[in-house]
Amino acid sequence: FQQVAFLNKGLSITLTDERDLEGTGDPVVLTYLYENGLVDYVEYLNSAKKVEAIHDEIISFELEDTERKISLEVAMQWTTSYQESVHTYANTINTHEGGTHEEGFRAALTTLVNKYAREKAILKEKDENLTGDDIREGLTAVISIKLAEPQFEGQTKTKLGNTEAKSFVQRVAGDQLNDWFDRNPSQARDIIRKSLQAAAARMAARKAREQTRR
């Protein structure tokens, strides 16, 4: 129920347990209400970990295409963690296996960060591009898409298969993140610095493996 409340901002869900297990005569009442929806979700996920935020503001955006009957809502924040934590939903169903919406998000993120890093000369000409894994290290993100006719695939039917979802998410996420990076240049640099550290660690680990094999 908490997850449903996160995914539908402003929706109030109240659960009442009338079993009186504690013998007080009073029912136990739980209410879930998140006015900021996915932003509150990302905040909740990060507060459960012992990590610091790379940038204070949680990046969030949403867009609806009424003609094509598709909408997207995203909230995301980079942290000092070494793990990525990306949660995806389609019509509020948890898509554990990912799918086209996650592919679109990943593609937009990888393209944008590399393009921005080169434009600002953070990545030099001789430097390799950052990988998607480098960029997503420490990222907490929630991606929620709503479609008129979702197609679920995979063994457990928790993978989104709609092709239009990939192009829609890639376009919207690319535009919105580009806009946020332009408006927050110092925070964008901090995010890229984190990705560069991840790339350096990846290359050092590869060199160590190669030396061990030799």
Side-chain angles (χ1 to χ4, degrees):
F1 289 106
Q2 186 181 24
Q3 208 173 71
V4 174
F6 276 131
L7 294 167
N8 297 278
K9 62 180 166 190
L11 173 69
S12 179
I13 299 172
T14 302
L15 303 173
T16 307
D17 186 347
E18 296 178 339
R19 291 175 296 174
D20 192 20
L21 298 175
E22 292 170 20
T24 59
D26 298 318
V28 176
V29 180
L30 269 180
T31 300
Y32 296 113
L33 168 64
Y34 300 102
E35 294 291 357
N36 300 311
L38 299 192
V39 170
D40 288 337
Y41 197 177
V42 168
E43 212 169 74
Y44 169 79
L45 291 167
N46 283 340
S47 67
K49 307 170 195 168
K50 287 178 180 171
V51 293
E52 288 175 33
I54 299 286
H55 51 100
D56 293 334
E57 182 195 348
I58 293 174
I59 304 166
S60 69
F61 51 87
E62 56 186 291
L63 192 83
E64 183 178 5
D65 185 333
T66 48
E67 207 174 291
R68 292 163 67 198
K69 294 178 181 167
I70 186 169
S71 69
L72 173 70
E73 199 177 340
V74 174
M76 55 197 286
Q77 186 179 39
W78 273 269
T79 71
T80 53
S81 168
Y82 298 120
Q83 308 296 321
E84 73 168 274
S85 179
V86 176
H87 305 263
T88 62
Y89 297 86
N91 291 11
T92 71
I93 293 163
N94 192 338
T95 41
H96 295 286
E97 296 175 87
T100 48
H101 51 339
E102 187 170 349
E103 287 167 21
F105 175 76
R106 287 181 170 206
L109 197 55
T110 306
T111 302
L112 170 77
V113 171
N114 277 300
K115 179 172 165 278
Y116 188 90
R118 290 205 184 276
E119 280 174 3
K120 304 296 177 191
I122 304 165
L123 268 183
K124 305 292 185 282
E125 214 173 297
K126 60 176 175 52
D127 294 335
E128 281 181 26
N129 263 0
L130 295 159
T131 68
D133 287 339
D134 297 334
I135 293 163
R136 292 191 308 275
E137 184 184 283
L139 173 66
T140 300
V142 182
I143 301 148
S144 177
I145 194 167
K146 287 177 180 153
L147 317 99
E149 294 176 19
Q151 295 156 14
F152 294 104
E153 300 171 351
Q155 283 186 317
T156 55
K157 296 290 177 195
T158 53
K159 182 177 183 179
L160 188 69
N162 298 64
T163 51
E164 72 275 19
K166 181 178 179 179
S167 55
F168 181 71
V169 174
Q170 191 167 349
R171 177 173 56 80
V172 174
D175 289 348
Q176 295 287 337
L177 286 169
N178 188 48
D179 181 53
W180 191 88
F181 272 45
D182 282 343
R183 285 186 289 107
N184 300 275
S186 64
Q187 292 179 315
R189 282 178 179 273
D190 290 340
I191 290 164
I192 291 165
R193 210 169 287 125
K194 163 78 173 167
S195 303
L196 288 167
Q197 287 167 358
R202 170 176 56 82
M203 288 187 269
R206 188 174 67 193
K207 276 180 189 166
R209 279 197 309 272
E210 284 167 359
Q211 283 173 345
T212 306
R213 282 173 188 159
R214 278 203 294 273

